[in-house]
Amino acid sequence: MAASSSLRLFFLAALMVAFVLAAPAPTKRNLSKRSFKVPRTLNKAHPRGLNGYDAMRKVYMKYGFTGGFIAEQKNGAGESVAGLKQNAANATNGASANRTGTVAANPGQNAALFLSPVSVGGQMLNLDFDSGSSDLWMFSTDLPQASIAGHSAYDASKSTTFKAMTGSKFTISYGDGSGAAGTVGTDVVNIGGVSVDNQTIELANAVSQSFIQDTNTDGLVGLAFSKLNTVNDGTKKTPQKTFFDNVMPNLDLPVFTADLDPDGTGVYEFGKIDQTKFVGQMAWIPVNASSGFWQFDSTKFAVGGVEMTNKAGSKAIADTGTSLLLVDQEVADTYYSKVQGAQNNAQVGGYIYPCGATLPDMAVAIGSSYMATIPGNQITFAAVDKANTTCFGGVQGNGGAGLQIYGDVMFKAQLVAFNGGNQSLGFGAKPPVPGKR
Ligand SMILES: *[C@@H]1O[C@H](CO)[C@@H](O)[C@H](O)[C@H]1NC(C)=O
Ligand SMILES: *[C@@H]1O[C@H](CO)[C@@H](O)[C@H](O)[C@H]1NC(C)=O
Ligand SMILES: *[C@@H]1O[C@H](CO)[C@@H](O)[C@H](O)[C@H]1NC(C)=O
Ligand SMILES: *[C@@H]1O[C@H](CO)[C@@H](O)[C@H](O)[C@H]1NC(C)=O
Ligand SMILES: *[C@@H]1O[C@H](CO)[C@@H](O)[C@H](O)[C@H]1NC(C)=O
Ligand SMILES: *[C@@H]1O[C@H](CO)[C@@H](O)[C@H](O)[C@H]1NC(C)=O
Ligand SMILES: *[C@@H]1O[C@H](CO)[C@@H](O)[C@H](O)[C@H]1NC(C)=O
């Protein structure tokens, strides 16, 4: 009797302990701010600065595209066509493709052009906010000293709030085999003065050469859907929540906006849509998040206000980690057929034209109800030569890869709100900037 009742007591006590352990830990999130801003500044340590070839190669590599431009690069010889097609298919499915090509990674080609400050466990890092991926990874002191040189590297041993996720790993790879890999844990991540106290962070213990050479970039903040997160527990995929997923319940609105100036710098704002940053009403378009990307249909386009059907009609994604507006090849071909002196030059990486050319407005459909217009005077990405005689277009073709990637060229002309609550994108046209078309 005594034994059984003390046993019962033991079970009761055990149950209570279990209950206490299972009770949600108090969240110490910063509730004093229901919206916050974080600046996006130019990466001054970018090895080559604004460069059309790098921008083009970066987006092709990120998504494993291998058509037109890449296929014609002389270094790209030795790729199997089947492998190339598979990569494009994998990119469309949201998987990260690993292209084991022979194209050498030159400094600058994968470098982030724009960075934002982030505190991890009280340590400041410069990270690239990327709505085209879902890992929050950073340089860490697990890397060899020679790889760290010039970077800020996160030191878990110096953080009192770090917790290791023992056995968990991450590997994020780009098309050319560049990427990062390492271990996983949680820590307090503070962006714009707002903290998430249990954010999954990924500590690189291996990074590719291109990241080593880009000394200002200490890692990425992925802002796509958590489905794309690459963390695994050693046996299976265990996708982790992004910073945005974690902070969303505390925000006034479940959104973040990308508000870019003509030079690409600007502000990311979480929890609020600044109505003064666009003209007219914001248009809302549902996204299909099943791929993990901020993905939508885009089957129409307009050049100089003349609307046309995009016959390939590939799905499109909104990607703050890409510089260009990468459209189906025929769309780019049609656009530049209206630009005097334009030519598609594989050596340079894509469409170029005399800097003095008059450029028509370009519009791309966002879902079935909205056309996002990029004024002609905001199309040029960069000059190709020092004398500014030849310019590289911000609109380029995807070489038939089957996915359209809408990057900074669009965000400079449109205030875009990423709504994680009802999985939609809000678009508002930004006021026109003065200057020649
Ligand atoms: C593409 O995805 C398929 C299926 O998930 C996989 O078998 C294949 O290895 C991947 N190919 C590449 C090049 O990553
Ligand atoms: C890419 O694939 C090759 C061959 O399968 C492998 O050796 C390499 O480690 C992979 N790279 C990354 C970054 O995953
Ligand atoms: C919380 O927000 C307040 C008000 O902006 C700020 O002063 C404080 O430093 C923040 N605390 C943390 C831990 O981020
Ligand atoms: C913190 O995050 C980890 C990984 O996502 C999770 O296993 C753990 O339960 C979380 N802890 C708290 C207190 O929320
Ligand atoms: C999503 O939310 C926004 C802002 O709250 C709202 O205006 C819009 O109509 C919603 N969109 C969809 C597709 O449900
Ligand atoms: C969403 O996209 C997936 C493929 O990425 C497709 O299978 C599915 O039909 C799409 N859903 C809708 C509602 O369009
Ligand atoms: C070329 O354009 C850049 C950027 O607008 C400017 O800084 C530079 O002075 C120009 N160079 C010449 C030779 O006009």
Side-chain angles (χ1 to χ4, degrees):
M1 278 301 174
S4 106
S5 81
S6 71
L7 202 63
R8 198 178 300 144
L9 206 66
F10 172 77
F11 275 129
L12 202 65
L15 206 66
M16 284 171 74
V17 168
F19 182 75
V20 168
L21 288 178
T27 48
K28 286 181 304 197
R29 285 173 188 162
N30 198 338
L31 294 173
S32 59
K33 270 185 170 178
R34 311 260 312 162
S35 72
F36 56 96
K37 288 182 183 182
V38 59
R40 170 173 141 139
T41 57
L42 191 65
N43 174 2
K44 294 216 173 65
H46 190 288
R48 287 212 294 255
L50 211 58
N51 175 305
Y53 179 90
D54 289 348
M56 192 68 170
R57 189 176 185 280
K58 185 181 176 196
V59 59
Y60 265 63
M61 291 294 102
K62 180 174 183 181
Y63 293 99
F65 293 174
T66 49
F69 152 68
I70 290 286
E72 287 167 41
Q73 294 303 303
K74 56 178 185 295
N75 290 348
E79 305 278 336
S80 91
V81 173
L84 307 184
K85 290 229 173 82
Q86 186 64 62
N87 276 338
N90 284 4
T92 314
N93 294 334
S96 67
N98 176 355
R99 176 161 159 275
T100 55
T102 51
V103 181
N106 290 327
Q109 287 175 338
N110 285 327
L113 262 177
F114 298 99
L115 298 168
S116 298
V118 174
S119 153
V120 182
Q123 302 172 30
M124 287 309 298
L125 302 166
N126 285 319
L127 306 181
D128 178 12
F129 282 36
D130 180 21
S131 69
S133 67
S134 306
D135 285 52
L136 199 179
W137 73 262
M138 64 210 68
F139 272 65
S140 87
T141 49
D142 297 341
L143 282 160
Q145 196 53 50
S147 304
I148 294 174
H151 293 84
S152 298
Y154 170 75
D155 186 347
S157 74
K158 291 215 172 82
S159 170
T160 54
T161 41
F162 174 75
K163 293 188 198 72
M165 278 168 65
T166 310
S168 285
K169 288 184 267 202
F170 82 98
T171 305
I172 189 150
S173 54
Y174 297 99
D176 59 351
S178 80
T183 61
V184 182
T186 65
D187 206 337
V188 179
V189 172
N190 186 307
I191 296 181
V194 170
S195 295
V196 170
D197 63 350
N198 189 35
Q199 175 63 47
T200 299
I201 57 166
E202 304 168 24
L203 288 62
N205 59 24
V207 290
S208 58
Q209 200 61 26
S210 50
F211 284 111
I212 293 171
Q213 277 155 342
D214 173 19
T215 51
N216 247 23
T217 304
D218 306 321
L220 266 78
V221 177
L223 294 169
F225 295 95
S226 61
K227 180 172 189 167
L228 294 180
N229 181 272
T230 72
V231 171
N232 73 83
D233 65 4
T235 53
K236 60 180 186 308
K237 291 186 75 168
T238 49
Q240 301 294 303
K241 283 187 172 185
T242 63
F243 175 82
F244 181 47
D245 281 343
N246 283 325
V247 84
M248 212 187 310
N250 295 337
L251 300 175
D252 281 334
L253 285 176
V255 302
F256 69 91
T257 61
D259 173 18
L260 304 193
D261 295 331
D263 67 356
T265 64
V267 171
Y268 291 105
E269 185 160 25
F270 290 75
K272 184 181 166 206
I273 299 166
D274 188 341
Q275 306 288 333
T276 68
K277 293 301 172 89
F278 59 92
V279 292
Q281 289 281 100
M282 182 156 264
W284 288 96
I285 295 90
V287 298
N288 180 344
S290 68
S291 64
F293 292 118
W294 293 91
Q295 183 181 297
F296 46 87
D297 291 332
S298 187
T299 59
K300 285 184 302 185
F301 68 106
V303 180
V306 181
E307 208 167 288
M308 287 168 258
T309 300
N310 172 357
K311 292 200 195 79
S314 302
K315 303 284 182 204
I317 64 172
D319 183 7
T320 60
T322 286
S323 297
L324 304 169
L325 184 82
L326 202 72
V327 293
D328 280 324
Q329 193 61 44
E330 250 188 67
V331 174
D333 296 345
T334 304
Y335 180 80
Y336 288 106
S337 73
K338 309 281 188 240
V339 177
Q340 197 138 44
Q343 54 154 299
N344 196 355
N345 184 315
Q347 211 73 41
V348 182
Y351 273 105
I352 53 173
Y353 46 82
C355 293
T358 299
L359 297 159
D361 293 351
M362 170 77 173
V364 287
I366 311 292
S368 54
S369 59
Y370 187 73
M371 297 294 285
T373 299
I374 295 104
N377 68 348
Q378 289 182 255
I379 298 283
T380 296
F381 179 69
V384 169
D385 53 344
K386 285 215 170 66
N388 295 349
T389 48
T390 304
C391 276
F392 190 85
V395 172
Q396 294 290 344
N398 65 4
L403 186 65
Q404 305 186 90
I405 320 284
Y406 297 172
D408 291 352
V409 169
M410 176 181 79
F411 297 116
K412 290 174 195 174
Q414 299 281 328
L415 183 88
V416 179
F418 295 76
N419 190 327
N422 64 10
Q423 302 195 332
S424 62
L425 288 169
F427 277 74
K430 303 192 77 162
V433 300
K436 179 186 160 302
R437 290 270 141 129

